[in-house]
Amino acid sequence: MAKKELNIEQKIKYVQDTLFVISGKWKLPIMMAVNNGNSRFRDIQRAVPNITTRVLSKELKDLEENRLLIRTVYDSLPVTVTYTVTPYCKSLKPMVDEMIKWGENHRAELKKAKTTTT
Amino acid sequence: MAKKELNIEQKIKYVQDTLFVISGKWKLPIMMAVNNGNSRFRDIQRAVPNITTRVLSKELKDLEENRLLIRTVYDSLPVTVTYTVTPYCKSLKPMVDEMIKWGENHRAELKKAKTTTT
DNA sequence: CATGTTGGTATCCTTTAAGTAACTGGCATC
DNA sequence: GATGCCAGTTACTTAAAGGATACCAACATG
């Protein structure tokens, strides 16, 4: 089967859909932290620099609603709550990897720009 | 040479850097439209559905400052202004391609979710 | 019995993104 | 001479994101 060729309007639409889900400072960092093995609320908070409890709490709910994370409550004493990534969340990996690459390169570009005195 | 292995904090930092540059509804769509051959202000506006002149104007300035677009003024009568993407802008392509793919798949996921009655 | 940890809420506030609408000057067309 | 195109600008408003701080119950540790 041949690759579908999308036109520019469709591409823009899909990119905007993606942006709608991942945009903002925190969603991807949170998913990365959870994926990296941080499953408890306070662990995630420690893994994501500078996030406040209020924002983390809100974002976790958002991500759960979007089926990107799963929240599990264990009725141990005291109750423990864990967050894990869904397979769907893992489907973001190729994109995130590209973002890491680009961000890394971007830092280098900024340095170059400074010294080059455009 | 071996791949550098980045730790989670570094990865998060780079992703946040990238998000800082591309976040928001409009920057990527604008770059995609320009890259697709729309170089005049009104052409870009027509190619990016629902964007207003005010927002387009602001975003174009932002993108120019970040070396992602080049603005050229021709002193013809009346003056014409064109925008073109920089090579640096083109370096975003792998990431954007992944975003298109993910957005396309996401629509399908949402449909599935509706019918599956979780 | 004071302090710390856990998983959060509740309030309040500031900042940023984005939208609405009107308007500009210069030229070209009807 | 009214209308329209081009490339925007200006002023105002609203909505959303994010941040600061305090607090809660339940337990555990010193």
Side-chain angles (χ1 to χ4, degrees):
Chain A
M1 181 175 140
K3 255 191 212 169
K4 288 178 280 219
E5 255 319 306
L6 300 169
N7 64 35
I8 185 72
E9 290 86 17
Q10 290 175 310
K11 287 182 182 178
I12 289 178
K13 195 186 64 182
Y14 290 136
V15 166
Q16 283 185 319
D17 284 353
T18 301
L19 283 170
F20 188 77
V21 176
I22 65 158
S23 223
K25 276 176 80 171
W26 303 116
K27 290 196 181 62
L28 286 178
I30 290 168
M31 289 188 261
M32 290 164 75
V34 174
N35 190 48
N36 198 54
N38 301 282
S39 52
R40 311 281 297 272
F41 190 92
R42 298 292 177 195
D43 291 339
I44 301 167
Q45 187 170 13
R46 273 185 287 268
V48 180
N50 304 315
I51 197 166
T52 63
T53 54
R54 183 197 172 279
V55 171
L56 179 55
S57 170
K58 185 196 149 281
E59 297 286 34
L60 286 171
K61 272 180 199 159
D62 253 47
L63 293 170
E64 203 196 343
E65 275 170 25
N66 278 289
R67 299 151 200 274
L68 293 163
L69 293 183
I70 294 171
R71 181 179 184 269
T72 317
V73 182
Y74 297 93
D75 60 349
S76 53
L77 278 176
V79 284
T80 53
V81 178
T82 66
Y83 293 89
T84 48
V85 299
T86 60
Y88 189 35
C89 183
K90 293 198 188 231
S91 73
L92 286 165
K93 186 167 190 311
M95 189 193 74
V96 172
D97 286 345
E98 291 297 337
M99 292 179 75
I100 293 169
K101 267 195 241 172
W102 197 86
E104 199 178 356
N105 182 63
H106 184 58
R107 291 238 159 182
E109 277 291 321
L110 289 180
K111 270 189 196 161
K112 240 195 280 179
K114 262 191 189 166
T115 55
T116 315
T117 321
T118 309
Chain B
M1 182 178 138
K3 255 191 212 172
K4 290 177 279 220
E5 254 321 304
L6 300 170
N7 65 33
I8 185 73
E9 290 87 16
Q10 291 176 308
K11 287 182 182 178
I12 288 177
K13 195 186 62 180
Y14 289 137
V15 166
Q16 284 186 319
D17 285 353
T18 302
L19 283 170
F20 189 76
V21 176
I22 66 156
S23 222
K25 276 175 80 171
W26 302 114
K27 290 196 181 60
L28 287 178
I30 290 167
M31 289 188 261
M32 292 164 75
V34 175
N35 189 50
N36 198 53
N38 300 281
S39 52
R40 310 282 297 274
F41 189 92
R42 297 293 177 193
D43 290 340
I44 302 167
Q45 188 170 12
R46 273 186 287 268
V48 180
N50 303 315
I51 196 166
T52 63
T53 55
R54 184 196 172 281
V55 170
L56 178 56
S57 171
K58 185 195 148 282
E59 298 285 35
L60 285 170
K61 272 180 201 159
D62 253 48
L63 293 169
E64 203 196 341
E65 275 170 25
N66 278 290
R67 299 151 201 275
L68 293 164
L69 293 183
I70 295 171
R71 181 180 184 269
T72 316
V73 182
Y74 298 93
D75 61 349
S76 52
L77 277 175
V79 285
T80 53
V81 179
T82 64
Y83 294 89
T84 48
V85 299
T86 62
Y88 188 36
C89 182
K90 291 196 191 236
S91 73
L92 285 165
K93 187 169 191 310
M95 189 193 75
V96 172
D97 285 346
E98 291 297 337
M99 291 178 76
I100 294 168
K101 266 195 242 170
W102 197 86
E104 199 178 355
N105 181 62
H106 185 58
R107 292 238 159 182
E109 276 291 322
L110 289 180
K111 269 189 198 163
K112 240 196 279 178
K114 262 192 187 162
T115 56
T116 315
T117 322
T118 310

